[in-house]
Amino acid sequence: MGPTQFHRLALVLPPLFLTVYLLASFPRPPTVPIIHTSLAHLPSSSPSWNVYPENLYSGGAYANLPLGRVRYWLIGPEDGRHIVLIHGLSIPAIVWKDVAPVLASRGYRVLLYDLYGRGYSDAPQVTYDTTLHTTQLALLMQHVKWDNAFIVGLSMGGGVATAFSAHFPHLVNGKVALIASAGIVESSDISRTAKFMSTPLLQTVSALPPFQHYMRLLANTSKSSELCETNPIQEIVRLQTAHLPYYNAAVASSLRDGPIRGLHFAFQSLARSSNQVLLIHGTSDKTVPYKYASKIHILVPQADLVTISDGGHDLTVTHASEVNALLLQFLADEYSYKPRG
């Protein structure tokens, strides 16, 4: 740098720094996230109370966590071995209705809960990333004073369970079961419709009062009682979509930012742990295709992979008896993995 250039910098830099100094501003203080309401705030006339009653399971209560109230249930004998059941992307804890009572009847103490933004748990207006979901469970276990538990996850809940075992290994008691597990889904396997529905633009539009009013009208004009009798699982998704102000945004953010994709590190961490791992997956799963069971098995080679022929995605509903038998075998003290021929 020559003398001329140096002198130019000497002339320019001081006023530049002085200008920046005078214009510098400090960011506003952080604010508390907006907390949106759950099914618990719907009027008693809402069909949701019949489809998915607040007391579907005994031992229900609310935990007041930093990002809102979380609905949970504790069923089974108080001195039983601890199990946590984690539901998936869109269907709350009702998805375990044919599994949780069986585990409880066999002496296990079962913790079920609704993820943030679903069912009876509040919906904080935040990014629904993996850390949000794993921290929710860690805080809930602290609330119920559990030191550790067996962890069972379904669909996106499998991603939560795997990440939880990586983030909080001391809270996992040696066994992790993953049913139709997400976690490493490739973007190319997410439908164009799902991608479009989860875009921020569409979520902004769907949050507008006229759109929400229209969705509520659709929900109220259909024959909810008939739908409830035939398929309560589909009905509760429809009711959440229509009546919960932040449900769609929570699902969309979970799909974009949450434990659906990119958890290879967590599965590799699970492989390095001493945990026993059970994988259950159906060959006809169109939501999380069966190929992902094989991919997870490669990442976690010590896992016991059980294939349910012609099984779809909602295995805890369609193949509950098989899932129950596999879980009870896996959770038993005498369980040991033997490769299936």
Side-chain angles (χ1 to χ4, degrees):
M1 179 181 294
T4 303
Q5 291 176 316
F6 178 81
H7 286 111
R8 286 176 181 172
L9 283 176
L11 291 172
V12 171
L13 287 178
L16 177 62
F17 282 122
L18 178 62
T19 302
V20 173
Y21 176 80
L22 294 174
L23 294 178
S25 62
F26 205 65
R28 293 182 179 180
T31 58
V32 176
I34 297 171
I35 306 296
H36 297 275
T37 55
S38 70
L39 291 177
H41 291 81
L42 295 184
S44 58
S45 58
S46 172
S48 63
W49 293 100
N50 294 321
V51 177
Y52 180 33
E54 194 178 33
N55 61 351
L56 178 66
Y57 308 104
S58 59
Y62 285 95
N64 291 310
L65 302 185
L67 292 177
R69 293 201 315 166
V70 171
R71 181 65 175 178
Y72 70 93
W73 299 264
L74 282 169
I75 63 174
E78 293 187 6
D79 60 350
R81 304 285 293 276
H82 296 166
I83 306 175
V84 176
L85 302 181
I86 312 170
H87 68 75
L89 177 68
S90 58
I91 304 167
I94 189 177
V95 78
W96 298 108
K97 64 184 179 62
D98 298 320
V99 174
V102 173
L103 297 176
S105 71
R106 296 294 292 269
Y108 292 98
R109 183 68 164 170
V110 182
L111 171 63
L112 309 98
Y113 68 104
D114 287 339
L115 294 173
Y116 285 128
R118 287 81 165 179
Y120 290 98
S121 289
D122 286 344
Q125 191 167 311
V126 297
T127 300
Y128 282 66
D129 57 15
T130 297
T131 301
L132 175 78
H133 291 93
T134 59
T135 304
Q136 179 190 11
L137 177 54
L139 290 173
L140 182 59
M141 288 180 64
Q142 182 185 54
H143 176 81
V144 299
K145 296 179 172 57
W146 280 16
D147 294 329
N148 52 53
F150 303 142
I151 310 296
V152 181
L154 169 67
S155 188
M156 187 187 80
V160 176
T162 304
F164 182 81
S165 71
H167 290 173
F168 303 99
H170 59 289
L171 299 180
V172 181
N173 193 20
K175 293 179 186 282
V176 178
L178 309 174
I179 306 168
S181 181
I184 56 171
V185 176
E186 298 167 4
S187 298
S188 58
D189 280 322
I190 298 175
S191 71
R192 187 171 296 277
T193 299
K195 291 175 183 175
F196 172 70
M197 294 297 290
S198 67
T199 58
L201 174 61
L202 193 68
Q203 289 307 310
T204 299
V205 173
S206 65
L208 296 174
F211 185 88
Q212 292 193 339
H213 178 68
Y214 173 71
M215 293 299 297
R216 286 192 291 270
L217 282 177
L218 284 181
N220 293 336
T221 54
S222 61
K223 297 181 179 179
S224 298
S225 59
E226 294 178 6
L227 288 171
C228 175
E229 291 174 2
T230 56
N231 196 329
I233 300 298
Q234 288 184 0
E235 177 69 348
I236 196 59
V237 171
R238 191 180 69 88
L239 289 168
Q240 290 177 115
T241 300
H243 293 285
L244 296 188
Y246 206 70
Y247 170 77
N248 295 322
V251 170
S253 181
S254 296
L255 189 62
R256 292 193 313 271
D257 311 303
I260 301 287
R261 305 174 295 152
L263 290 183
H264 296 78
F265 79 93
F267 286 102
Q268 291 165 348
S269 175
L270 184 59
R272 293 190 296 268
S273 73
S274 60
N275 293 312
Q276 295 177 321
V277 182
L278 173 66
L279 308 175
I280 305 174
H281 219 111
T283 58
S284 298
D285 192 332
K286 292 182 172 56
T287 303
V288 182
Y290 180 76
K291 67 179 181 180
Y292 288 108
S294 300
K295 290 177 180 289
I296 291 173
H297 201 201
I298 292 172
L299 292 172
V300 192
Q302 77 269 30
D304 183 0
L305 171 58
V306 180
T307 299
I308 296 184
S309 181
D310 297 324
H313 189 62
D314 297 326
L315 293 174
T316 59
V317 177
T318 60
H319 293 71
S321 59
E322 293 174 67
V323 169
N324 288 332
L326 289 167
L327 287 177
L328 288 169
Q329 179 186 19
F330 172 67
L331 295 170
D333 287 337
E334 59 271 17
Y335 167 83
S336 62
Y337 170 56
K338 296 179 180 178
R340 299 166 190 270

